[in-house]
Amino acid sequence: MESSWMRVSAAGILTVLLLVGGTWADTPANCTREDVVGEWLIQESARSYDHTVDCNNITGVVRTSTIRLESPNVVIDEYGNRGHWTMIYNQGFEVTVNERSYFAFSDYDDRSEEVISYCNRTQLGWAHDVTLRHWSCFTAHKPASSGEPKTHSPPRLPDHEELSRKVTMHSHEAVVQKVNAAQSSWHAELHKPFVGLTRRQLLLMAGGHRSWLPYRPRPAPASEELKKAVAKLPKQFDWRNVSGINYVSPVKNQYSCGSCFIFSTIGMLEARTRVRTNNTQQTLFSEQEVLSCDQMAQGCDGGFPYLVSRYTRDYGVVEESCYPAYSSNAGTCERKSCDRHYVARYRYIGGYFGNCNEEGMMLALMRGPIAVNYEYHSDQYHYKSGVYHYTGVDDPSMEYPYYVVNHAVLVVGYGVVESTGEKYWIVKNSWGATWGDHGYFLIRRGTNECGIESLASESDPIP
């Protein structure tokens, strides 16, 4: 056993500070499941800490262990215990085996024009047992001969002057006119609050640049068993009206902050708490507390719902009445001594990243609304009614060349247009109740429109 647990750091792995007390962030790493499968060596500190651990100040390797990650989601430890694992988008992986959970981002080197991803080693991560006790810090790496660095050139944002340029009324009106002329499935109408916003403000409304994904998995084929289960579901379903009862919390507004990933997850927790308590607990949770305190994201520059669910499992969320009102600015984290609310479990639809599909989403919806990510396009800024699909109508002043914006929303139901047979999802947005159809929109279902059937997750709140 090595005398210093920072052996991996000496090799240059710890390129940024991470974990509680450090600077957590979504990263520009770009790793796939194929890059990650194989043997891993875990070097771990003492398991004597709690969730307040600051791993930047922990030294000494106490435990060295090995695991093997197999495709698509099986992990086997050195004792033969089997567990499960998943990629966290393209940025890291999460492992649960022998009653312990490990999470870390993949290592990378962000240079001026390119990013080098070291998919065979992690940055500093943390672990704990499944009861959220016995926290520890760790790094992991594959054998030295396994895996080569990957170089890619991520899209770069326009310069500050371009981002600060306001989008004119003429540009907004032109998009509305072109959308309505191009098709009849959905209708666009000028949403006046967006007029006069800058390109950066519009980008933040649609997810923020840190939620960019270089690739998006396609929906997984549905098994015959899954198809049979879906065949028993109702043709139409909407959590806003189940036998006359609305289980969905009010529409909120993220404003010009890329916090949609928080709003979609919080909205899911609020709705599922209502479902689990027969609508007797209509608690509203604080998006601002997560925005300020969750160090697994980039605040107003974006993040991912799955990691917000992990934050809720590990740290809990507080009620709106406990924390300062939402300010659309990350600000400084204030740890309030209020009751915290937790989730017992969270997961990608399908069990792991890359196994989502329409059928799995429909079945998950029977348990409550689900958080989804999809590729946002500028033609949707002025959606008003109908079943949305991407029209190809874009205005250069609102677009980001080679940059796919990853917006997070809440799916609350599904249905079919009787006159055309067109299937759709019912989606709650976070742009206020005056946008779209009282804050909601419909989007095509069954065709993976804008990738909406490839990245969905759910969690189980504890009422």
Side-chain angles (χ1 to χ4, degrees):
M1 186 173 297
E2 302 191 53
S3 61
S4 172
W5 104 287
M6 288 300 184
R7 185 191 72 81
V8 184
S9 175
I13 290 183
L14 302 181
T15 56
V16 296
L17 296 177
L18 292 179
L19 274 184
V20 179
T23 306
W24 278 83
D26 300 317
T27 79
N30 181 19
C31 299
T32 66
R33 182 191 303 140
E34 290 70 26
D35 296 323
V36 171
V37 293
E39 301 285 341
W40 285 81
L41 180 69
I42 297 176
Q43 294 181 301
E44 191 175 355
S45 73
R47 297 176 174 179
S48 56
Y49 305 98
D50 61 18
H51 70 282
T52 64
V53 62
D54 180 356
C55 287
N56 300 308
N57 296 320
I58 304 301
T59 59
V61 171
V62 171
R63 186 185 303 265
T64 300
S65 57
T66 59
I67 59 172
R68 185 171 75 252
L69 303 183
E70 297 184 348
S71 186
N73 71 323
V74 174
V75 56
I76 304 174
D77 71 9
E78 59 193 300
Y79 307 111
N81 298 301
R82 298 171 69 89
H84 57 86
W85 74 281
T86 181
M87 291 296 298
I88 305 297
Y89 305 93
N90 63 321
Q91 300 183 0
F93 59 88
E94 179 183 67
V95 173
T96 302
V97 64
N98 205 11
E99 312 308 331
R100 284 190 71 78
S101 173
Y102 298 83
F103 168 66
F105 286 112
S106 298
D107 193 26
Y108 69 94
D109 182 7
D110 191 359
R111 304 181 179 183
S112 58
E113 297 298 329
E114 63 183 15
V115 172
I116 300 176
S117 298
Y118 300 99
C119 302
N120 61 348
R121 66 195 196 196
T122 72
Q123 295 183 341
L124 187 58
W126 82 89
H128 52 65
D129 66 30
V130 294
T131 67
L132 303 184
R133 298 182 177 92
H134 306 126
W135 287 60
S136 62
C137 308
F138 78 95
T139 56
H141 64 279
K142 285 185 170 183
S145 61
S146 177
E148 296 295 329
K150 297 173 60 177
T151 301
H152 71 286
S153 299
R156 301 296 182 182
L157 290 174
D159 60 30
H160 178 73
E161 182 178 349
E162 283 292 319
L163 284 175
S164 300
R165 185 170 299 166
K166 293 183 178 181
V167 180
T168 66
M169 170 76 82
H170 174 75
S171 293
H172 285 289
E173 290 178 332
V175 169
V176 170
Q177 293 173 4
K178 290 178 181 178
V179 165
N180 291 333
Q183 48 78 54
S184 58
S185 176
W186 63 282
H187 178 72
E189 187 176 298
L190 184 68
H191 185 57
K192 292 183 179 179
F194 288 169
V195 175
L197 295 184
T198 65
R199 292 183 73 184
R200 175 172 175 76
Q201 288 174 315
L202 290 171
L203 170 63
L204 292 173
M205 294 291 295
H209 74 279
R210 284 292 187 177
S211 60
W212 169 77
L213 289 177
Y215 72 94
R216 181 180 295 272
R218 294 185 177 182
S223 66
E224 289 303 315
E225 182 180 6
L226 199 57
K227 292 178 181 178
K228 290 179 181 178
V230 168
K232 300 176 182 179
L233 298 180
K235 188 177 181 181
Q236 315 267 355
F237 187 82
D238 186 348
W239 278 110
R240 298 173 300 173
N241 185 0
V242 179
S243 300
I245 300 175
N246 177 20
Y247 291 90
V248 183
S249 57
V251 173
K252 301 179 185 180
N253 198 332
Q254 69 185 76
Y255 298 104
S256 293
C257 170
S259 53
C260 56
F261 67 105
I262 299 173
F263 278 80
S264 62
T265 311
I266 291 295
M268 175 175 62
L269 299 179
E270 291 171 342
R272 287 187 167 219
T273 297
R274 296 181 182 207
V275 171
R276 288 187 167 220
T277 63
N278 198 23
N279 221 20
T280 59
Q281 292 185 26
Q282 299 188 0
T283 309
L284 297 179
F285 299 120
S286 171
E287 289 85 5
Q288 185 63 47
E289 193 269 348
V290 181
L291 180 63
S292 299
C293 300
D294 182 2
Q295 297 178 338
M296 288 180 285
Q298 274 281 14
C300 282
D301 282 330
F304 300 104
Y306 185 87
L307 291 179
V308 176
S309 289
R310 182 176 178 106
Y311 173 85
T312 308
R313 195 272 310 270
D314 288 356
Y315 301 99
V317 292
V318 299
E319 298 179 17
E320 274 190 346
S321 57
C322 165
Y323 209 82
Y326 179 74
S327 65
S328 66
N329 187 294
T332 302
C333 176
E334 301 178 33
R335 291 295 183 185
K336 300 286 187 178
S337 58
C338 305
D339 288 340
R340 304 194 75 86
H341 301 256
Y342 298 85
V343 301
R345 291 165 297 276
Y346 60 96
R347 56 199 166 272
Y348 286 114
I349 305 303
Y352 57 90
F353 179 83
N355 200 39
C356 187
N357 52 35
E358 174 195 8
E359 293 83 359
M361 290 171 62
M362 291 175 69
L363 287 174
L365 267 173
M366 296 300 102
R367 296 185 285 270
I370 58 178
V372 301
N373 295 89
Y374 74 106
E375 297 174 4
Y376 188 84
H377 297 280
S378 63
D379 64 345
Q380 198 187 354
Y381 279 119
H382 301 290
Y383 169 93
K384 187 60 181 178
S385 61
V387 180
Y388 173 80
H389 65 90
Y390 176 48
T391 64
V393 174
D394 297 311
D395 188 291
S397 66
M398 303 182 200
E399 287 295 304
Y400 306 92
Y402 313 112
Y403 193 100
V404 178
V405 178
N406 194 41
H407 190 40
V409 288
L410 185 70
V411 173
V412 303
Y414 61 85
V416 180
V417 178
E418 294 294 340
S419 59
T420 64
E422 187 174 29
K423 301 190 301 182
Y424 58 80
W425 299 109
I426 306 168
V427 186
K428 178 186 178 185
N429 206 347
S430 51
W431 292 352
T434 62
W435 178 87
D437 183 6
H438 302 286
Y440 288 81
F441 67 96
L442 308 181
I443 186 171
R444 282 180 177 173
R445 173 169 60 93
T447 61
N448 197 31
E449 181 65 39
C450 297
I452 198 166
E453 287 151 14
S454 64
L455 279 177
S457 62
E458 64 175 326
S459 57
D460 303 321
I462 305 172

